[in-house]
Amino acid sequence: MGNRRIVKPYLETLRNTARENASCGSWLSDGPTMLCRVESPEFIRVTAHTGTVRPINASAISKTLAAYADPDFIREWIAARPLRAYTANTIVDEAALFEEYRKIREQGYCVSDAEFSDDSIGIGAPVRGKNGQVWAAISVGAPKFRMPEEKLREYIKLVMETAAQVSEL
């Protein structure tokens, strides 16, 4: 609860700049869970609810969190919960998913493009604690029709900046 209260003003600033949903999630016992969310002021927006657990292969927050988790833990997670395709873009091959996680770590952000829903796109970036460990992820989610390439590049920068600011708290 305390983390939500601390993070919410940063999400509100991100939402106000991007005019899209801004969220923060963390890995809880049930999996990657959306802890805090502020809705886009736009009439058409991607819906989701706090407390929602998202799959580790089809969400900007979840893929970001899984990318920085212990690989053996993720392999055990997948063994207990086989990967499911939500769209044609969902990665369901374990080796390909681990390659995606490597790419996320290398670039410092995640793009989930039509992986959970054909009509949505999300951008995620890791939030680190004082020890450098990733404890949360910040994301922006939007309908695909409002995310052309130039806006995507701008929002990647915004999400990474917001995650870095929250990491400094």
Side-chain angles (χ1 to χ4, degrees), residues 12 17 19 23 36 42-43 50 52 74 87 94 99 123 137 147 150 153 168:
E12 289 171 341
T17 303
R19 295 192 53 81
S23 305
C36 186
E42 300 294 333
F43 182 72
T50 56
T52 303
I74 297 300
T87 71
E94 186 175 328
E99 176 58 23
I123 303 158
M147 191 71 72
E150 65 274 2
R153 286 191 303 272
E168 292 175 2

Side-chain angles (χ1 to χ4, degrees), residues 20-98:
E20 300 296 353
N21 299 332
S23 305
C24 179
S26 191
W27 199 290
L28 302 181
S29 60
D30 289 339
T33 305
M34 189 177 306
L35 298 179
C36 186
R37 178 180 177 89
V38 290
E39 295 286 329
S40 166
E42 300 294 333
F43 182 72
I44 297 173
R45 58 185 173 254
V46 177
T47 61
H49 304 285
T50 56
T52 303
V53 176
R54 293 296 178 120
I56 64 170
N57 62 330
S59 155
I61 284 176
S62 297
K63 284 174 48 179
T64 300
L65 293 169
Y68 291 93
D70 179 272
D72 291 333
F73 172 78
I74 297 300
R75 284 185 187 88
E76 289 174 19
W77 186 268
I78 292 170
R81 298 160 195 83
L83 299 172
R84 173 181 159 208
Y86 297 89
T87 71
N89 290 347
T90 308
I91 299 171
V92 293
D93 176 75
E94 186 175 328
L97 187 58
F98 274 89

